[in-house]
Amino acid sequence: MTALSITYVVLFYVAMIILFGGLINKIMLYARVPAPLKIPVTPAPLTKAGVVYRIFYEVVFFNSLFRGSKWTWIFGWMFHLSLLLAFFRHLRYVISPDSFIWPLVNNMVVQSFGHYAGFTMVIGLAGLLARRILVDRVRYISSPSDYLMLLLIMGIGVTGLGIAYVSHTDVVQLKAFIMGLFLFDWQNLPSDNVLLVHLTLVLLLAVIFPISKLLHAPGLFFAPTRNQVDNPREQRHISPWGAELEAKDGRNA
Amino acid sequence: MADYEVPETHEFPIIPSIMEGAMAHSSPFVAGKEFQDDMGFPSPEEPGKLIDGWKEKFLEIMQDKLNKYRSLQVFMDGCVKCGACTDKCHYFIGTSDPKNMPVARQDLLRKVYRRYFTFAGKYFPKLVGAVDLTEDVIKEMYSYYHQCSECRRCAVFCPFGIDTAEVTMAARDILAMIGMGQKYSNQIIPKVHKIGNNLGLPEPALLDTLEGLEEEIEDDTGVKVRFPLDEKGADILLVTPSADFFAEPHVDGLMGYGKVFHAAGVSWTLSSKASEAANFGLFIGNYEHMREISLRIRDAAKELGVKRIVFGECGHAWRVAYNHLNTLAGPWDFLDQNYPIPQHILEFTKDCLDRGILNIDKSENDHMTLTFHDSCNIARASRIGEDPGSQFTTPRQVIQAVCNNYYDMAPETTHDQTFCCGGGGGLLTDDLMELRIKGALPRMEALKNAVSDKGVTHMAAICAICKSQFTKVLPYYGMTMDQIVSVHQLVSNAIVLDGQGEEAEESDDAEETA
């Protein structure tokens, strides 16, 4: 194996440990910290099924953002949807052709949508970046990290397009490398520059994820303003520490 | 009327360009030692300073809050600075100060969170906009966390449901615990603990006021409508904001509740112990004080042996009552489970109207053309009825059942997009007058347009703070203070009580014969 391949194998494992370790840690924290009071933003659903629908609608269509800012919605939604399509296309690198889900991934629809999603992803990101620079209010609230995050993901998109259209790589060898990572049967990585930049940026994104604003992804599911059922009069809501207070003075008896 | 620069109103809302530091001078009075003591909060040795070891204390309490409130923990992490909230706050629209953009307001605390509680902020503070906790940062927090009325309009539009009110509440509580409590709220809350209401009205004063109301209604209608106080064995305990006992137009609303109860033939009572619906514990973000105030209602309900609890017209009070009363002062297993606990006065009145037991003469309100101001806490943090959104329909249905002339204001300023009156969230104090006037801009603009386009003459509200705030700021926008009315004032005008007017007619006859 080449030194380069060994380096990337190590980097890959480190990045995945940080990504999943960090994310699980954060998700467990969000789940552990209680919500002591009912604070759904109303009108809110009266049932759990309603809450699932509300969150689903937010996750899939960015409903509140749509109401709040049309430009941000257009660019933001375009970017996220493209990211999802590109992700589906990339699944072909981690699924064996023998697998029963292979046809779900290796078909015209997924592959061609994923192909062009690269462009819409970069356009969406460029729109978000333009807004961040041009709108005085958004510029005011932006830190260097907010710009760098956009540039990082744009870099991933542009290098991805570069591999697809300009500087092709040996995808068979690439797949062997990636499958090898999962099977602990390490293989050589093609040493094309564009590919290496692409992979490096992806690994960087993975490392940053659990320590940055990218935590909005799990956070979305934990916001009490959106995930609580509007039934405070019908069902008593009490947190463990609220119950402790009560037990101490007995005034709710 | 003191002299303040009043922002211009327009036919269409305008998002201002940012003006850094435009409201940096705005800060409410800090609570002195006596008020901090009453609240159980510490005071600095020298006034105007912070307590010894304030920095460690700040971070310690912040960590405690992060462990206790999922909202705070998730909201500190989850903001992507998308900017959707930046033009949604009435204080930003009215002042142009960028720190009044919800995300920038949250960032005052988030910057500190990042610096001391996150990897990125600890090692790369400049990169992620993390800052050290300094006295200047504390002063800025004190200023701008008292330029938020906790109205939650920003939370409606946030893709992640981040509610600046939650951040403001946490920040205010932390500040109070390092010696920077707000005088206005910290002066009021102990009065509830000691006497039973925000105004510090003792039982004899309440009795006197209620007798006055009985006389007024009898003079007006010839009917004796009772306003009972501390009457054991009554079915309903009415808990209403203490402003209802004396302020205009609040008191007209209270007379309306009394008439509805009278016409419905129910037995009810007020309590001198729980003579306050308002709960400023919400505003200062303090669970214990909010619970303490709520428990007075539990104690009063038990002592009086009532079966039901009904709340009068008040926005944040209804938020606490609707969402938190069960949590803080429940369980309510000793009350009649056939009715909502607690119930809003509008739910009660709407039910009476639906059952046709109120005799209504709508023409009594014909001298007015009404519109309705959705109070923020009711619109975005409660229901008034059974369905989601009933907090919008129920008040409108009641108004339209007692008035002939009604129009809504522009849709982007009503329902869950309603604008705060500008005085909510513990900001209804004279030392924040400039902020209150400027913050009222979006609502005043929408009202003015309804006045010119639809011929609206009066705006009805169901919140004591909204009513007080509008009474004060309407004149600054070229309108008059009596253009704000209580919803139950309209009900009071239109309701015809059994036996009402009989005496008057008799005396008319007598005059004619003579």
Side-chain angles (χ1 to χ4, degrees), chain A residues 26 30 33-34 38-39 42 67-68 132 136-137 145 213 225-226 230 232-233 236-237 241 249 251-253, chain B residues 70 77 81 86 88 127 152 155 158 161 291-292 298 302 322 326-328 330 342 347 379-381 416:
Chain A
K26 272 290 179 185
Y30 295 163
V33 176
K38 278 277 191 175
I39 56 165
T42 60
R67 292 181 72 194
R132 200 168 281 293
D136 65 346
R137 302 188 309 279
S145 57
K213 67 177 186 178
T225 46
R226 293 271 163 74
D230 178 17
R233 291 193 287 190
R236 185 155 191 252
H237 176 92
W241 63 266
D249 62 18
R251 292 188 61 195
N252 294 62
Chain B
R70 181 184 298 158
D77 280 332
K81 315 290 170 81
T86 54
K88 303 299 187 286
L127 185 69
R152 315 179 99 199
C158 175
R291 174 166 177 261
E292 200 63 34
R298 181 183 184 85
K302 281 201 153 170
Y322 175 83
N326 205 358
T327 300
L328 299 169
E347 291 176 317
R380 292 184 279 263
D416 65 341

Tab-separated table of all heavy atoms in Angstrom, chain A residues 26 30 33-34 38-39 42 67-68 132 136-137 145 213 225-226 230 232-233 236-237 241 249 251-253, chain B residues 70 77 81 86 88 127 152 155 158 161 291-292 298 302 322 326-328 330 342 347 379-381 416:
chain	number	residue	atom	x	y	z
A	26	LYS	N	-23.569	14.466	21.607
A	26	LYS	CA	-24.476	15.616	21.600
A	26	LYS	C	-25.938	15.179	21.646
A	26	LYS	O	-26.750	15.741	22.378
A	26	LYS	CB	-24.239	16.470	20.347
A	26	LYS	CG	-23.171	17.527	20.523
A	26	LYS	CD	-23.619	18.655	21.458
A	26	LYS	CE	-22.514	19.687	21.622
A	26	LYS	NZ	-22.841	20.727	22.603
A	30	TYR	N	-28.732	16.181	24.379
A	30	TYR	CA	-30.038	16.792	24.087
A	30	TYR	C	-31.178	15.954	24.656
A	30	TYR	O	-32.185	16.472	25.116
A	30	TYR	CB	-30.240	16.950	22.571
A	30	TYR	CG	-29.293	17.907	21.900
A	30	TYR	CD1	-29.114	17.881	20.518
A	30	TYR	CD2	-28.579	18.852	22.631
A	30	TYR	CE1	-28.245	18.764	19.883
A	30	TYR	CE2	-27.705	19.721	22.004
A	30	TYR	CZ	-27.535	19.668	20.629
A	30	TYR	OH	-26.670	20.529	20.011
A	33	VAL	N	-31.066	16.267	28.784
A	33	VAL	CA	-31.477	17.515	29.429
A	33	VAL	C	-32.998	17.638	29.340
A	33	VAL	O	-33.568	17.526	28.264
A	33	VAL	CB	-30.804	18.726	28.748
A	33	VAL	CG1	-31.301	20.025	29.356
A	33	VAL	CG2	-29.301	18.630	28.869
A	34	PRO	N	-33.663	17.841	30.467
A	34	PRO	CA	-35.124	17.869	30.432
A	34	PRO	C	-35.669	19.193	29.897
A	34	PRO	O	-34.979	20.205	29.890
A	34	PRO	CB	-35.506	17.693	31.900
A	34	PRO	CG	-34.345	18.225	32.675
A	34	PRO	CD	-33.124	17.998	31.827
A	38	LYS	N	-43.785	23.411	29.278
A	38	LYS	CA	-44.398	23.284	27.959
A	38	LYS	C	-44.219	24.599	27.213
A	38	LYS	O	-44.706	25.645	27.669
A	38	LYS	CB	-45.892	22.991	28.127
A	38	LYS	CG	-46.182	21.530	28.394
A	38	LYS	CD	-46.223	20.764	27.082
A	38	LYS	CE	-46.774	19.353	27.339
A	38	LYS	NZ	-46.941	18.618	26.083
A	39	ILE	N	-43.507	24.562	26.101
A	39	ILE	CA	-43.271	25.795	25.353
A	39	ILE	C	-43.475	25.640	23.843
A	39	ILE	O	-42.772	26.286	23.061
A	39	ILE	CB	-41.860	26.360	25.621
A	39	ILE	CG1	-40.779	25.319	25.290
A	39	ILE	CG2	-41.695	26.827	27.052
A	39	ILE	CD1	-39.370	25.924	25.193
A	42	THR	N	-47.352	28.033	19.308
A	42	THR	CA	-48.695	27.708	18.821
A	42	THR	C	-49.051	28.557	17.607
A	42	THR	O	-48.477	29.635	17.434
A	42	THR	CB	-49.731	27.933	19.946
A	42	THR	OG1	-49.681	29.299	20.351
A	42	THR	CG2	-49.474	27.021	21.122
A	67	ARG	N	-41.785	30.672	5.323
A	67	ARG	CA	-42.588	31.820	5.772
A	67	ARG	C	-41.691	33.011	6.111
A	67	ARG	O	-42.096	34.151	5.992
A	67	ARG	CB	-43.395	31.447	7.022
A	67	ARG	CG	-44.482	30.427	6.775
A	67	ARG	CD	-45.236	30.132	8.069
A	67	ARG	NE	-46.091	31.244	8.457
A	67	ARG	CZ	-46.652	31.370	9.648
A	67	ARG	NH1	-46.427	30.470	10.582
A	67	ARG	NH2	-47.437	32.381	9.924
A	68	GLY	N	-40.464	32.714	6.548
A	68	GLY	CA	-39.620	33.776	7.075
A	68	GLY	C	-38.804	34.520	6.035
A	68	GLY	O	-38.648	35.737	6.123
A	132	ARG	N	-25.256	36.350	2.452
A	132	ARG	CA	-24.458	36.631	3.643
A	132	ARG	C	-23.590	37.879	3.453
A	132	ARG	O	-23.335	38.628	4.387
A	132	ARG	CB	-23.597	35.402	3.989
A	132	ARG	CG	-23.104	35.383	5.415
A	132	ARG	CD	-22.500	34.057	5.826
A	132	ARG	NE	-23.453	33.011	6.150
A	132	ARG	CZ	-24.272	33.000	7.178
A	132	ARG	NH1	-24.296	34.004	8.021
A	132	ARG	NH2	-25.100	31.997	7.394
A	136	ASP	N	-27.133	43.546	4.657
A	136	ASP	CA	-26.396	44.122	5.804
A	136	ASP	C	-26.707	43.406	7.121
A	136	ASP	O	-25.826	43.214	7.948
A	136	ASP	CB	-26.639	45.646	5.913
A	136	ASP	CG	-28.095	46.003	6.227
A	136	ASP	OD1	-28.974	45.116	6.096
A	136	ASP	OD2	-28.357	47.162	6.603
A	137	ARG	N	-27.945	42.985	7.289
A	137	ARG	CA	-28.319	42.310	8.539
A	137	ARG	C	-27.606	40.974	8.684
A	137	ARG	O	-27.136	40.599	9.754
A	137	ARG	CB	-29.834	42.089	8.586
A	137	ARG	CG	-30.660	43.351	8.463
A	137	ARG	CD	-32.138	43.075	8.727
A	137	ARG	NE	-32.665	41.958	7.935
A	137	ARG	CZ	-33.041	42.045	6.670
A	137	ARG	NH1	-32.947	43.195	6.037
A	137	ARG	NH2	-33.509	41.005	6.026
A	145	SER	N	-16.296	31.840	10.581
A	145	SER	CA	-16.660	30.429	10.415
A	145	SER	C	-17.898	30.258	9.536
A	145	SER	O	-18.034	29.250	8.846
A	145	SER	CB	-16.894	29.775	11.774
A	145	SER	OG	-17.895	30.460	12.491
A	213	LYS	N	-22.040	24.698	14.067
A	213	LYS	CA	-23.459	24.963	13.856
A	213	LYS	C	-24.137	23.885	13.020
A	213	LYS	O	-25.360	23.905	12.876
A	213	LYS	CB	-23.634	26.326	13.190
A	213	LYS	CG	-23.099	26.417	11.771
A	213	LYS	CD	-23.406	27.792	11.184
A	213	LYS	CE	-23.021	27.869	9.727
A	213	LYS	NZ	-23.350	29.174	9.131
A	225	THR	N	-39.931	23.892	21.281
A	225	THR	CA	-40.887	24.786	20.646
A	225	THR	C	-41.629	24.112	19.497
A	225	THR	O	-42.690	24.546	19.097
A	225	THR	CB	-40.157	26.011	20.078
A	225	THR	OG1	-38.997	25.559	19.381
A	225	THR	CG2	-39.742	26.970	21.168
A	226	ARG	N	-41.021	23.049	18.954
A	226	ARG	CA	-41.628	22.384	17.798
A	226	ARG	C	-42.037	20.946	18.090
A	226	ARG	O	-42.940	20.424	17.464
A	226	ARG	CB	-40.638	22.373	16.624
A	226	ARG	CG	-40.344	23.743	16.060
A	226	ARG	CD	-41.317	24.121	14.966
A	226	ARG	NE	-41.311	25.560	14.699
A	226	ARG	CZ	-40.344	26.207	14.062
A	226	ARG	NH1	-39.305	25.545	13.617
A	226	ARG	NH2	-40.434	27.508	13.864
A	230	ASP	N	-49.336	20.099	22.155
A	230	ASP	CA	-50.056	21.170	22.829
A	230	ASP	C	-51.207	20.584	23.664
A	230	ASP	O	-52.354	20.556	23.224
A	230	ASP	CB	-50.582	22.146	21.762
A	230	ASP	CG	-51.400	23.278	22.360
A	230	ASP	OD1	-51.303	23.519	23.581
A	230	ASP	OD2	-52.148	23.932	21.604
A	232	PRO	N	-51.174	20.947	27.551
A	232	PRO	CA	-50.766	21.149	28.949
A	232	PRO	C	-51.923	21.065	29.943
A	232	PRO	O	-51.711	20.706	31.094
A	232	PRO	CB	-50.157	22.551	28.942
A	232	PRO	CG	-50.746	23.230	27.767
A	232	PRO	CD	-50.998	22.155	26.746
A	233	ARG	N	-53.127	21.410	29.503
A	233	ARG	CA	-54.245	21.355	30.448
A	233	ARG	C	-54.724	19.921	30.643
A	233	ARG	O	-55.231	19.562	31.687
A	233	ARG	CB	-55.408	22.224	29.942
A	233	ARG	CG	-55.082	23.712	29.981
A	233	ARG	CD	-56.317	24.574	29.796
A	233	ARG	NE	-56.821	24.563	28.407
A	233	ARG	CZ	-57.767	25.389	27.969
A	233	ARG	NH1	-58.341	26.246	28.792
A	233	ARG	NH2	-58.165	25.358	26.706
A	236	ARG	N	-50.498	16.524	32.691
A	236	ARG	CA	-49.531	17.264	33.501
A	236	ARG	C	-48.110	16.968	33.035
A	236	ARG	O	-47.712	15.826	32.889
A	236	ARG	CB	-49.693	16.889	34.980
A	236	ARG	CG	-48.813	17.710	35.874
A	236	ARG	CD	-49.346	17.816	37.293
A	236	ARG	NE	-48.571	18.823	37.998
A	236	ARG	CZ	-47.682	18.551	38.958
A	236	ARG	NH1	-47.502	17.311	39.362
A	236	ARG	NH2	-47.002	19.529	39.512
A	237	HIS	N	-47.363	18.048	32.818
A	237	HIS	CA	-45.981	17.935	32.356
A	237	HIS	C	-45.076	18.336	33.509
A	237	HIS	O	-45.210	19.415	34.055
A	237	HIS	CB	-45.796	18.888	31.172
A	237	HIS	CG	-44.395	18.962	30.654
A	237	HIS	ND1	-43.938	18.159	29.633
A	237	HIS	CD2	-43.346	19.742	31.000
A	237	HIS	CE1	-42.677	18.446	29.384
A	237	HIS	NE2	-42.279	19.396	30.198
A	241	TRP	N	-36.398	17.530	37.805
A	241	TRP	CA	-35.978	18.502	38.823
A	241	TRP	C	-37.159	19.326	39.333
A	241	TRP	O	-37.155	19.788	40.479
A	241	TRP	CB	-34.803	19.360	38.364
A	241	TRP	CG	-34.996	20.264	37.177
A	241	TRP	CD1	-34.704	19.969	35.886
A	241	TRP	CD2	-35.484	21.609	37.181
A	241	TRP	NE1	-34.981	21.056	35.072
A	241	TRP	CE2	-35.462	22.074	35.844
A	241	TRP	CE3	-35.952	22.486	38.170
A	241	TRP	CZ2	-35.873	23.352	35.461
A	241	TRP	CZ3	-36.354	23.756	37.791
A	241	TRP	CH2	-36.321	24.182	36.459
A	249	ASP	N	-40.947	20.604	49.223
A	249	ASP	CA	-41.826	21.443	50.058
A	249	ASP	C	-43.252	20.908	50.170
A	249	ASP	O	-44.052	21.421	50.961
A	249	ASP	CB	-41.813	22.902	49.585
A	249	ASP	CG	-42.343	23.063	48.166
A	249	ASP	OD1	-43.018	22.133	47.680
A	249	ASP	OD2	-42.093	24.118	47.565
A	251	ARG	N	-45.818	21.311	48.539
A	251	ARG	CA	-46.916	22.266	48.346
A	251	ARG	C	-47.857	21.901	47.205
A	251	ARG	O	-48.911	22.512	47.061
A	251	ARG	CB	-46.341	23.679	48.135
A	251	ARG	CG	-45.677	24.199	49.411
A	251	ARG	CD	-45.296	25.641	49.281
A	251	ARG	NE	-46.452	26.484	49.043
A	251	ARG	CZ	-46.383	27.736	48.601
A	251	ARG	NH1	-45.208	28.262	48.342
A	251	ARG	NH2	-47.464	28.448	48.413
A	252	ASN	N	-47.496	20.928	46.411
A	252	ASN	CA	-48.403	20.507	45.332
A	252	ASN	C	-49.264	19.311	45.744
A	252	ASN	O	-50.009	18.777	44.942
A	252	ASN	CB	-47.611	20.141	44.077
A	252	ASN	CG	-46.917	21.329	43.480
A	252	ASN	OD1	-46.057	21.927	44.124
A	252	ASN	ND2	-47.284	21.711	42.282
A	253	ALA	N	-49.134	18.920	47.011
A	253	ALA	CA	-49.893	17.749	47.477
A	253	ALA	C	-51.371	18.094	47.610
A	253	ALA	O	-51.720	19.217	47.874
A	253	ALA	CB	-49.341	17.271	48.802
B	70	ARG	N	-33.513	22.050	28.164
B	70	ARG	CA	-33.142	21.548	26.850
B	70	ARG	C	-33.193	22.660	25.809
B	70	ARG	O	-32.347	22.736	24.920
B	70	ARG	CB	-34.073	20.416	26.430
B	70	ARG	CG	-33.721	19.834	25.073
B	70	ARG	CD	-34.714	18.790	24.639
B	70	ARG	NE	-34.733	17.671	25.557
B	70	ARG	CZ	-35.765	16.824	25.674
B	70	ARG	NH1	-36.833	16.982	24.936
B	70	ARG	NH2	-35.713	15.838	26.533
B	77	ASP	N	-26.575	25.745	20.490
B	77	ASP	CA	-25.811	25.032	19.460
B	77	ASP	C	-26.349	25.242	18.051
B	77	ASP	O	-25.581	25.283	17.097
B	77	ASP	CB	-25.861	23.511	19.732
B	77	ASP	CG	-24.885	23.086	20.811
B	77	ASP	OD1	-23.862	23.768	20.968
B	77	ASP	OD2	-25.144	22.069	21.481
B	81	LYS	N	-27.218	31.029	11.676
B	81	LYS	CA	-27.106	32.427	11.208
B	81	LYS	C	-27.674	32.586	9.799
B	81	LYS	O	-27.052	33.212	8.938
B	81	LYS	CB	-25.641	32.899	11.224
B	81	LYS	CG	-24.860	32.550	12.478
B	81	LYS	CD	-25.352	33.363	13.656
B	81	LYS	CE	-24.787	32.877	14.970
B	81	LYS	NZ	-23.449	33.348	15.238
B	86	THR	N	-33.932	38.053	11.227
B	86	THR	CA	-33.319	39.365	11.431
B	86	THR	C	-34.281	40.536	11.252
B	86	THR	O	-34.073	41.597	11.827
B	86	THR	CB	-32.109	39.581	10.484
B	86	THR	OG1	-32.547	39.350	9.150
B	86	THR	CG2	-30.972	38.639	10.822
B	88	LYS	N	-37.643	40.327	11.888
B	88	LYS	CA	-38.935	39.960	12.467
B	88	LYS	C	-39.258	40.640	13.791
B	88	LYS	O	-40.403	40.648	14.219
B	88	LYS	CB	-39.003	38.432	12.672
B	88	LYS	CG	-38.764	37.630	11.397
B	88	LYS	CD	-39.806	37.936	10.345
B	88	LYS	CE	-39.690	37.033	9.120
B	88	LYS	NZ	-38.549	37.359	8.248
B	127	LEU	N	-12.436	32.823	15.232
B	127	LEU	CA	-13.033	32.152	14.084
B	127	LEU	C	-14.555	32.018	14.232
B	127	LEU	O	-15.299	32.202	13.276
B	127	LEU	CB	-12.397	30.764	13.943
B	127	LEU	CG	-12.785	29.926	12.732
B	127	LEU	CD1	-12.218	30.547	11.465
B	127	LEU	CD2	-12.288	28.500	12.891
B	152	ARG	N	-41.804	35.952	21.035
B	152	ARG	CA	-41.660	34.740	20.237
B	152	ARG	C	-41.978	34.892	18.759
B	152	ARG	O	-42.162	33.903	18.057
B	152	ARG	CB	-42.526	33.592	20.796
B	152	ARG	CG	-42.455	33.418	22.272
B	152	ARG	CD	-43.337	32.292	22.713
B	152	ARG	NE	-42.580	31.077	22.921
B	152	ARG	CZ	-43.117	29.863	22.964
B	152	ARG	NH1	-44.397	29.708	22.756
B	152	ARG	NH2	-42.382	28.812	23.174
B	155	ALA	N	-39.416	33.128	16.750
B	155	ALA	CA	-39.445	31.665	16.807
B	155	ALA	C	-40.372	31.078	15.750
B	155	ALA	O	-40.198	29.936	15.335
B	155	ALA	CB	-39.872	31.197	18.197
B	158	CYS	N	-38.107	30.842	12.606
B	158	CYS	CA	-36.813	30.157	12.694
B	158	CYS	C	-36.954	28.731	12.183
B	158	CYS	O	-37.802	27.985	12.636
B	158	CYS	CB	-36.304	30.126	14.131
B	158	CYS	SG	-34.786	29.160	14.290
B	161	GLY	N	-36.824	26.475	15.143
B	161	GLY	CA	-37.682	26.748	16.294
B	161	GLY	C	-36.950	27.415	17.441
B	161	GLY	O	-37.375	27.339	18.591
B	291	ARG	N	-43.272	29.578	40.098
B	291	ARG	CA	-44.014	28.525	40.804
B	291	ARG	C	-44.661	29.084	42.072
B	291	ARG	O	-45.829	28.815	42.363
B	291	ARG	CB	-43.044	27.381	41.153
B	291	ARG	CG	-43.658	26.293	41.999
B	291	ARG	CD	-42.788	25.038	42.043
B	291	ARG	NE	-43.401	24.066	42.927
B	291	ARG	CZ	-43.029	23.873	44.199
B	291	ARG	NH1	-42.040	24.577	44.710
B	291	ARG	NH2	-43.644	22.982	44.931
B	292	GLU	N	-43.879	29.880	42.797
B	292	GLU	CA	-44.373	30.480	44.045
B	292	GLU	C	-45.649	31.290	43.775
B	292	GLU	O	-46.638	31.188	44.511
B	292	GLU	CB	-43.273	31.401	44.602
B	292	GLU	CG	-43.372	31.722	46.059
B	292	GLU	CD	-43.235	30.491	46.947
B	292	GLU	OE1	-42.475	29.541	46.604
B	292	GLU	OE2	-43.925	30.479	47.972
B	298	ARG	N	-53.285	27.965	43.720
B	298	ARG	CA	-53.668	26.638	44.246
B	298	ARG	C	-54.200	26.767	45.676
B	298	ARG	O	-55.256	26.243	46.009
B	298	ARG	CB	-52.444	25.713	44.230
B	298	ARG	CG	-52.742	24.311	44.740
B	298	ARG	CD	-51.499	23.429	44.775
B	298	ARG	NE	-51.836	22.070	45.190
B	298	ARG	CZ	-52.271	21.138	44.366
B	298	ARG	NH1	-52.437	21.403	43.102
B	298	ARG	NH2	-52.570	19.921	44.804
B	302	LYS	N	-58.037	26.045	47.031
B	302	LYS	CA	-58.310	25.057	48.078
B	302	LYS	C	-59.055	25.695	49.241
B	302	LYS	O	-60.037	25.143	49.753
B	302	LYS	CB	-57.006	24.430	48.567
B	302	LYS	CG	-56.483	23.365	47.615
B	302	LYS	CD	-55.515	22.416	48.321
B	302	LYS	CE	-55.530	21.063	47.617
B	302	LYS	NZ	-54.465	20.172	48.088
B	322	TYR	N	-52.177	28.676	31.046
B	322	TYR	CA	-52.498	27.617	30.090
B	322	TYR	C	-51.403	26.542	30.055
B	322	TYR	O	-51.674	25.352	30.144
B	322	TYR	CB	-52.690	28.220	28.699
B	322	TYR	CG	-52.896	27.188	27.622
B	322	TYR	CD1	-54.153	26.636	27.383
B	322	TYR	CD2	-51.834	26.728	26.856
B	322	TYR	CE1	-54.339	25.677	26.415
B	322	TYR	CE2	-52.002	25.764	25.881
B	322	TYR	CZ	-53.262	25.237	25.675
B	322	TYR	OH	-53.434	24.272	24.716
B	326	ASN	N	-50.574	23.820	35.426
B	326	ASN	CA	-50.653	22.403	35.745
B	326	ASN	C	-49.286	21.878	36.212
B	326	ASN	O	-49.193	21.094	37.161
B	326	ASN	CB	-51.117	21.649	34.493
B	326	ASN	CG	-51.798	20.340	34.816
B	326	ASN	OD1	-51.897	19.959	35.987
B	326	ASN	ND2	-52.259	19.642	33.806
B	327	THR	N	-48.234	22.347	35.549
B	327	THR	CA	-46.881	21.932	35.914
B	327	THR	C	-46.487	22.499	37.278
B	327	THR	O	-45.982	21.781	38.145
B	327	THR	CB	-45.866	22.427	34.851
B	327	THR	OG1	-46.211	21.858	33.595
B	327	THR	CG2	-44.447	22.050	35.221
B	328	LEU	N	-46.710	23.799	37.451
B	328	LEU	CA	-46.180	24.483	38.626
B	328	LEU	C	-47.038	24.305	39.870
B	328	LEU	O	-46.521	24.221	40.979
B	328	LEU	CB	-46.023	25.978	38.326
B	328	LEU	CG	-45.058	26.333	37.183
B	328	LEU	CD1	-45.190	27.792	36.821
B	328	LEU	CD2	-43.627	26.003	37.579
B	330	GLY	N	-50.085	22.229	39.862
B	330	GLY	CA	-50.970	21.071	39.790
B	330	GLY	C	-50.507	19.981	40.732
B	330	GLY	O	-49.551	20.200	41.486
B	342	PRO	N	-56.807	25.630	33.698
B	342	PRO	CA	-57.820	26.655	33.933
B	342	PRO	C	-58.575	26.976	32.640
B	342	PRO	O	-58.171	26.557	31.557
B	342	PRO	CB	-56.960	27.847	34.350
B	342	PRO	CG	-55.693	27.675	33.570
B	342	PRO	CD	-55.477	26.198	33.422
B	347	GLU	N	-63.346	31.664	26.752
B	347	GLU	CA	-63.935	30.336	26.544
B	347	GLU	C	-65.288	30.275	27.247
B	347	GLU	O	-66.257	29.719	26.729
B	347	GLU	CB	-63.000	29.248	27.103
B	347	GLU	CG	-61.720	29.088	26.304
B	347	GLU	CD	-60.741	28.070	26.898
B	347	GLU	OE1	-60.547	28.057	28.132
B	347	GLU	OE2	-60.162	27.299	26.137
B	379	ALA	N	-51.286	34.414	21.210
B	379	ALA	CA	-51.195	33.935	19.830
B	379	ALA	C	-50.190	32.806	19.684
B	379	ALA	O	-50.465	31.799	19.030
B	379	ALA	CB	-50.812	35.089	18.904
B	380	ARG	N	-49.013	32.959	20.312
B	380	ARG	CA	-47.919	32.023	20.044
B	380	ARG	C	-47.620	31.077	21.195
B	380	ARG	O	-46.667	30.301	21.129
B	380	ARG	CB	-46.653	32.811	19.668
B	380	ARG	CG	-46.772	33.511	18.326
B	380	ARG	CD	-45.495	34.192	17.915
B	380	ARG	NE	-45.319	35.475	18.552
B	380	ARG	CZ	-45.626	36.645	18.001
B	380	ARG	NH1	-46.108	36.687	16.789
B	380	ARG	NH2	-45.458	37.779	18.654
B	381	ALA	N	-48.412	31.160	22.263
B	381	ALA	CA	-48.112	30.272	23.398
B	381	ALA	C	-49.375	29.809	24.111
B	381	ALA	O	-49.354	29.587	25.312
B	381	ALA	CB	-47.169	30.975	24.379
B	416	ASP	N	-50.510	34.226	14.250
B	416	ASP	CA	-49.201	33.944	14.855
B	416	ASP	C	-48.114	34.881	14.337
B	416	ASP	O	-46.981	34.843	14.822
B	416	ASP	CB	-48.806	32.464	14.679
B	416	ASP	CG	-48.594	32.077	13.232
B	416	ASP	OD1	-49.078	32.797	12.343
B	416	ASP	OD2	-47.949	31.037	12.998
